[in-house]
Amino acid sequence: MLFRPPREEDVPPGPLGASLPRVEDDRLLRGKGRFVSDLRPRDCLHLVFVRAVMAPARLVRVDARAGGSLPGVRLVLTGADTAGLGKAAVNALVDGLADANWPILARDRVEAVGQPIALVVADTLAQAQDAAEAVIVDCEPFQESAPVPSFAQEWQHGDVDAAFAQAAHVVRVELEYPRVAPMALEPRAAIAHWHAGESALSLWLSTQTPHRARSDIAAILGLDEAAIRVVAPDVGGAFGGKASLYPEEAGVALAAMRLDRPVGWTATRSEEFLAAAHGRAQKLSGELALAADGRFLALRAEVDAELGHWLTYSAVVPARNAMRILPGPYKIDAVHLRARGHRSMRAPLGIYRGAGRPEAAMLMERLVERAARTLGTDPIVLRRANTHAPADLPQHLPAGGRLDRSDFAELLEMVQRTADYPRLRAHALRRRAEGAVCGIGIALYVEPCGQGSESATLAHDGAGRFTLATGATAQGQGRETAFAQIAADVLGVAPEAVTVVHGDTAATPAGIGALASRSTAIGGSAVYEAARRLVEIAGSTLARGWAAAPACKTAVRYMAPEEAWASGACIASVEIDRDTGVPAIERIVWVDDAGVVVNPMLVDGQLRGGLAQGLGEALMERIVYDAQGQLLTGSLMDYAVPRASDIPPVTLLSCPTPSAANSLGAKGVGEAGTIGVPAAIANAVLDALVPFGVECLDFPLRAETIWRAMQDRGDDR
Ligand code: SMO
């Protein structure tokens, strides 16, 4: 899957495009990684939150006296102590987003089970836990009111009504994408250290966005940004769930300021389920107007997103992304889109690997599959006939997106050739005739990879060594490896000569962080531009190599002129056990277009990791609340995540078209696995269930769900 940008013939191939092993792995695999909880200073106090056990409810009384007088307790704070503080920013990407509160500790009322009501700081964790249990909370539950709309926005392109009026067929799909947990291995964690002498705050956070956390903390606590240092050391996964500042993190900082002692908090797994941001939780519907010859004439699509009880920074991003993507890879002249979001008395929602892309792909791919069935056309043939030709790309989309260069026909061609699709179909038909319940599902997807800017500084020490500082951070993606490759390739040196610094606001230029599949495309382009600039600066002194060149330095803030969009195609085949409904994914064949690839091994890892999470949400994951708002999936005993043995055989191929959107020509890969794979699995299961008359089945496609659907619709034989 190796792709190299064109280079002069006499220049030997550089490290760009090579599957170099990760420089991070030596420390991580030897247990020498340094995660927030590994960094606690010896005199660090322990913080525990008292959380709401029922909601919504009026807070009648919070009595901290008994808890506060227990041995070792240094501080108890309740909502009254956080009155008057500021709040974290929200990315208002939609029209008329209603203002939302941002409580650090609940005052007057609690809105969701798990919301922090008080915090306790003590010498030991056990003392803090005991004291937290001794805090008395009196609540009066009240009836949850109807969902309050937080925004509604529409986009229209072309004459949609006219197109539907002249359609030969109209197909419709309604679906619910369940609420799921991002499930980073490392839970949220924070250590705060207040330096009273300098009025300065140091904060170690397990975060994707240290600079954003710094400005949020400054606004909340009324501090100068320059007085705050945020460090994201090794971060054990994030997947979108650590892209927003949490009330708990502000609470840790506040406690440290009050006590003038380091204070640390590490969330338990239960606290992650209860109060960290979840993902998805969207209801979608759509209708596709078809000409008699199978052309897609018009699309109407609607998304209704749940936002939770407070707004994470990116709370509206999933709904906005879903709209931005539609109609995906397909050429449709008339499109009407409508997005809505509503608050709910539940844990907050935010971006989670995919962030609206999986939802949009699912809606579109289900519609296309249904269209193929209605028309009696092969679903791959129908897709090919309706995708944009490479010559028509880039292409503007109705809700403001801009489809990047891509070769959708070639993606489909490669995936069907590799899967031996005609034979796969024939084989499935034969097995079906013999009584098997089996199906094949296809998905074609696009993956927008972030907009805006990222920063990089690059310094030469005068002796052939380089220090690269990036505003993009890392949570295990191998950024230190990939960014060193990019810089080294341009500088003409070995990657080992480049030390990459990230995740520390005191040591890196202000940047966005690691999210939205943007780091290589935008952060990597910043590195590429910085390296080119440094070569320019060194100029003629480079004649005798870097070791003889004087020390020099450059800083770049790279603004991506456009957004890179990755794409790909998947084919999944499934067999369902007729007696139990257990779905077995037999094979996934997947072709991805990641543009210019910096390190194929890292791309492969990202794609497979995303696939595992995509498979999890397709087959087993779902956050469930009961009618009283109690979380039923509060531990890994109740919330199923895939294990290694659940991962089917995967054939992964690359079909790169360089991006037109950035210097490097790179596209993202971080989210692809949660976009195409789930839609292909859904289509495969629904294909298997055609003989049972089942037209619609929502995630997760558990054995029970499938079995019940088979029973409800009766047998086909
Ligand atoms: S869901 Mo991602 O970390 O933008």
Side-chain angles (χ1 to χ4, degrees):
M1 64 192 292
L2 192 137
F3 178 88
R4 282 183 201 287
R7 47 172 59 243
E8 308 278 332
E9 262 169 34
D10 53 342
V11 177
L16 195 75
S19 283
L20 301 185
R22 291 158 38 112
V23 296
E24 294 89 342
D25 285 344
D26 187 73
R27 70 168 190 273
L28 293 173
L29 293 175
R30 289 174 199 273
K32 292 189 175 153
R34 286 158 65 80
F35 299 86
V36 169
S37 302
D38 298 321
L39 301 174
R40 289 197 179 210
R42 200 171 301 149
D43 60 341
C44 190
L45 299 169
H46 296 259
L47 186 148
V48 167
F49 289 97
V50 178
R51 295 181 181 275
V53 297
M54 66 167 78
R58 251 172 295 284
L59 269 183
V60 179
R61 182 170 70 115
V62 181
D63 185 345
R65 282 170 303 181
S69 63
L70 286 174
V73 175
R74 303 286 175 151
L75 180 72
V76 181
L77 295 179
T78 65
D81 299 299
T82 64
L85 294 177
K87 59 185 185 179
V90 174
N91 194 1
L93 287 170
V94 288
D95 291 348
L97 181 66
D99 198 32
N101 62 344
W102 199 84
I104 296 175
L105 299 170
R107 288 193 302 278
D108 309 328
R109 60 188 231 148
V110 288
E111 298 196 321
V113 162
Q115 183 180 353
I117 293 174
L119 66 82
V120 179
V121 183
D123 291 343
T124 70
L125 180 60
Q127 288 170 333
Q129 286 167 335
D130 284 347
E133 285 195 15
V135 173
I136 297 165
V137 178
D138 278 348
C139 283
E140 259 172 27
F142 60 82
Q143 205 56 45
E144 189 173 341
S145 44
V148 186
S150 288
F151 69 85
Q153 192 174 349
E154 299 185 33
W155 296 264
Q156 166 121 1
H157 180 82
D159 194 340
V160 177
D161 291 342
F164 270 92
Q166 69 173 78
H169 308 276
V170 175
V171 290
R172 294 182 178 81
V173 166
E174 270 182 44
L175 65 98
E176 189 173 340
Y177 220 116
R179 181 189 271 258
V180 295
M183 198 52 66
L185 276 182
E186 183 205 15
R188 293 172 295 155
I191 296 171
H193 199 155
W194 174 246
H195 316 277
E198 309 102 82
S199 296
L201 180 72
S202 297
L203 200 52
W204 287 263
L205 295 177
S206 184
T207 181
Q208 296 171 249
T209 48
H211 285 94
R212 185 188 296 159
R214 181 176 69 170
S215 53
D216 280 338
I217 287 285
I220 292 162
L221 300 177
L223 297 170
D224 204 344
E225 265 192 37
I228 304 172
R229 176 187 180 192
V230 176
V231 182
D234 282 324
V235 174
F239 312 116
K242 294 173 181 170
S244 189
L245 190 84
Y246 283 95
E248 287 95 331
E249 294 162 334
V252 174
L254 181 65
M257 286 174 72
R258 291 287 181 93
L259 288 164
D260 198 8
R261 282 272 301 273
V263 171
W265 166 73
T266 303
T268 62
R269 185 58 64 188
S270 297
E271 283 183 293
E272 290 299 90
F273 278 113
L274 275 169
H278 296 143
R280 314 288 188 256
Q282 292 192 1
K283 288 190 175 119
L284 300 108
S285 60
E287 45 186 358
L288 181 62
L290 304 163
D293 65 0
R295 262 179 315 122
F296 299 169
L297 299 174
L299 172 75
R300 287 195 189 105
E302 226 176 285
V303 54
D304 187 358
E306 185 184 340
L307 303 174
H309 81 103
W310 60 271
L311 295 184
T312 58
Y313 179 79
S314 301
V316 304
V317 167
R320 186 69 187 88
N321 269 350
M323 297 293 102
R324 248 156 41 80
I325 288 164
L326 290 170
Y330 304 105
K331 183 175 150 41
I332 305 179
D333 290 335
V335 177
H336 181 263
L337 305 170
R338 188 152 79 126
R340 283 177 301 185
H342 66 272
R343 302 265 307 284
S344 64
M345 302 291 184
R346 303 282 187 271
L349 270 306
I351 48 174
Y352 163 51
R353 202 169 197 167
R357 301 166 184 84
E359 295 92 321
M362 177 68 73
L363 182 67
M364 207 58 226
E365 294 308 293
R366 292 265 298 269
L367 281 167
V368 172
E369 205 75 12
R370 185 158 300 179
R373 204 158 289 139
T374 300
L375 294 159
T377 308
D378 178 85
I380 290 188
V381 172
L382 186 65
R383 281 177 173 87
R384 282 186 69 152
N386 282 283
T387 48
H388 291 284
D392 297 335
L393 297 172
Q395 176 78 232
H396 285 278
L397 299 181
R402 178 182 171 273
L403 208 49
D404 201 347
R405 276 184 203 144
S406 199
D407 191 339
F408 299 118
E410 182 56 26
L411 288 169
L412 288 167
E413 173 55 32
M414 196 184 249
V415 80
Q416 76 161 328
R417 199 184 331 122
T418 309
D420 203 351
Y421 177 71
R423 206 153 68 166
L424 201 63
R425 276 277 176 217
H427 186 57
L429 281 178
R430 223 169 27 244
R431 283 156 70 207
R432 201 177 269 179
E434 292 161 10
V437 183
C438 55
I440 297 164
I442 295 131
L444 187 63
Y445 65 89
V446 291
E447 178 194 13
C449 306
Q451 300 156 302
S453 67
E454 195 49 275
S455 58
T457 62
L458 184 60
H460 174 234
D461 69 353
R465 290 209 54 88
F466 302 83
T467 302
L468 170 70
T470 167
T473 59
Q475 308 95 49
Q477 298 94 331
R479 195 83 69 234
E480 292 161 45
T481 308
F483 281 6
Q485 281 181 254
I486 296 170
D489 196 88
V490 179
L491 296 168
V493 301
E496 298 77 44
V498 183
T499 303
V500 177
V501 179
H502 63 88
D504 181 348
T505 61
T508 62
I512 306 286
L515 63 157
S517 302
R518 73 199 303 285
S519 296
T520 302
I522 305 178
S525 288
V527 172
Y528 179 79
E529 292 295 345
R532 279 172 38 140
R533 187 99 55 95
L534 204 69
V535 170
E536 264 173 45
I537 292 168
S540 57
T541 65
L542 274 182
R544 284 173 295 122
W546 279 103
C552 52
K553 189 176 173 167
T554 186
V556 163
R557 180 146 198 111
Y558 176 79
M559 174 63 78
E562 294 289 348
E563 185 175 27
W565 289 51
S567 57
C570 303
I571 295 182
S573 42
V574 66
E575 175 157 8
I576 293 165
D577 187 294
R578 184 179 283 274
D579 298 323
T580 64
V582 171
I585 311 296
E586 297 177 315
R587 190 177 174 207
I588 292 174
V589 180
W590 174 13
V591 182
D592 183 74
D593 168 8
V596 172
V597 168
V598 174
N599 181 323
M601 186 163 62
L602 294 182
V603 168
D604 195 77
Q606 282 290 327
L607 293 176
R608 285 175 198 275
L611 179 143
Q613 287 188 294
L615 188 97
E617 65 187 62
L619 299 182
M620 56 192 87
E621 296 185 40
R622 186 181 173 208
I623 292 284
V624 183
Y625 290 91
D626 72 8
Q628 282 73 46
Q630 290 293 339
L631 179 65
L632 300 184
T633 46
S635 81
L636 285 167
M637 297 294 286
D638 327 293
Y639 184 89
V641 291
R643 305 169 201 206
S645 59
D646 293 311
I647 307 301
V650 177
T651 306
L652 196 45
L653 298 109
S654 173
C655 177
T657 301
S659 172
N662 58 65
S663 304
L664 209 53
K667 302 174 178 176
V669 291
E671 301 172 275
T674 60
I675 305 169
V677 169
I681 291 176
N683 279 338
V685 168
L686 286 169
D687 183 50
L689 297 179
V690 163
F692 295 82
V694 177
E695 294 200 327
C696 156
L697 215 51
D698 284 328
F699 284 168
L701 298 168
R702 299 176 308 137
E704 182 190 341
T705 310
I706 295 172
W707 184 85
R708 283 188 192 284
M710 289 162 75
Q711 309 310 306
D712 287 352
R713 313 299 168 110
D715 207 316
D716 57 317
R717 289 188 298 186

